[in-house]
Amino acid sequence: MASTEIEALTQALARLPGLGPRSARRAVLHLMKKREGALEPLLAALQQVAANLRTCATCGNLDTANPCAICRDPRRDERLLCVVEEVADLWALDRSRLFPGRFHVLGGRLSALEGVRPEDLAIDALISRLAAGGIDEVVLAMNATLEGQTTAHYLAERLEKFPVRLTQLAHGLPVGGELDYLDEGTLAQALRARRPVA
């Protein structure tokens, strides 16, 4: 039987995405066995992030500086702006190193069921960035869900007055995917987005 403190740590870890109670117990046991090599460095890193965590006033990213490292990077193309739903989406796209521009995090997606309205998202901040000028293309990188596509459609309507090229991530067949294993929505999108054979 673990002490109250160890049980509290286990329960805190179990609330993290991807970790259930059993995985959390294994992680806690590992941290306790490797106190100097794992527990103490983890504790120091958590304290540093907790003390310095900031939301970037420009794009909405989470970082330990404001503006964030992406917004401060002079190698980024300021004319390209990729709009994402959440910080996790920004990090996934940035990790790919395929998008050379800047980002804008909405902080969610429109959802009538969850009561998320346009004013609940960072849409006004996005419009302010476009009104300031200097942006040639806006990539709407919404998730391929009903709410994500509703958000993309709403943004397209709101942004059509700006002299920017509006694009959207392609949806459809994944590389290596077999038609027999794909759902109808993915197949329908792939058929709608078909293009000529070169």
Side-chain angles (χ1 to χ4, degrees):
M1 191 66 152
S3 70
T4 307
E5 294 89 346
I6 294 172
E7 188 57 35
L9 175 59
T10 303
Q11 290 177 7
L13 288 177
R15 287 193 292 272
L16 295 174
L19 284 181
R22 289 176 54 190
S23 298
R25 277 193 295 278
R26 283 195 298 272
V28 167
L29 186 57
H30 173 78
L31 289 169
M32 289 188 315
K33 283 182 176 179
K34 309 281 186 182
R35 183 177 180 156
E36 290 179 14
L39 180 61
E40 291 173 5
L42 176 62
L43 179 59
L46 286 170
Q47 288 174 333
Q48 282 284 87
V49 169
N52 298 309
L53 188 63
R54 307 281 181 269
T55 299
C56 180
T58 305
C59 73
N61 188 16
L62 293 175
D63 202 343
T64 55
N66 181 21
C68 71
I70 292 173
C71 290
R72 289 190 324 266
D73 187 347
R75 296 168 296 179
R76 295 274 180 173
D77 188 344
E78 294 181 1
R79 297 168 299 156
L80 301 175
L81 186 66
C82 183
V83 181
V84 296
E85 293 176 20
E86 299 287 354
V87 172
D89 303 324
L90 182 157
W91 289 3
L93 285 167
D94 189 53
R95 208 171 34 247
S96 75
R97 301 203 187 287
L98 296 173
F99 183 73
R102 311 258 173 158
F103 292 92
H104 186 85
V105 180
L106 293 174
R109 62 186 174 269
L110 297 175
S111 174
L113 289 175
E114 296 172 11
V116 180
R117 303 160 304 172
E119 53 269 22
D120 298 324
L121 304 177
I123 295 172
D124 289 341
L126 172 62
I127 289 172
S128 296
R129 289 180 79 176
L130 290 174
I135 296 172
D136 296 336
E137 180 181 357
V138 175
V139 180
L140 300 177
M142 307 296 108
N143 289 310
T145 61
L146 178 61
E147 293 88 357
Q149 295 311 298
T150 300
T151 305
H153 181 72
Y154 176 82
L155 288 174
E157 287 180 352
R158 290 281 309 267
L159 304 180
E160 68 185 359
K161 64 183 177 185
F162 293 99
V164 296
R165 180 174 173 235
L166 273 179
T167 58
Q168 189 172 7
L169 292 182
H171 300 290
L173 299 178
V175 174
E178 296 183 30
L179 296 179
D180 189 35
Y181 294 106
L182 299 176
D183 63 276
E184 291 176 16
T186 301
L187 287 171
Q189 183 61 36
L191 283 170
R192 280 194 296 272
R194 66 188 183 273
R195 53 189 166 81
V197 176

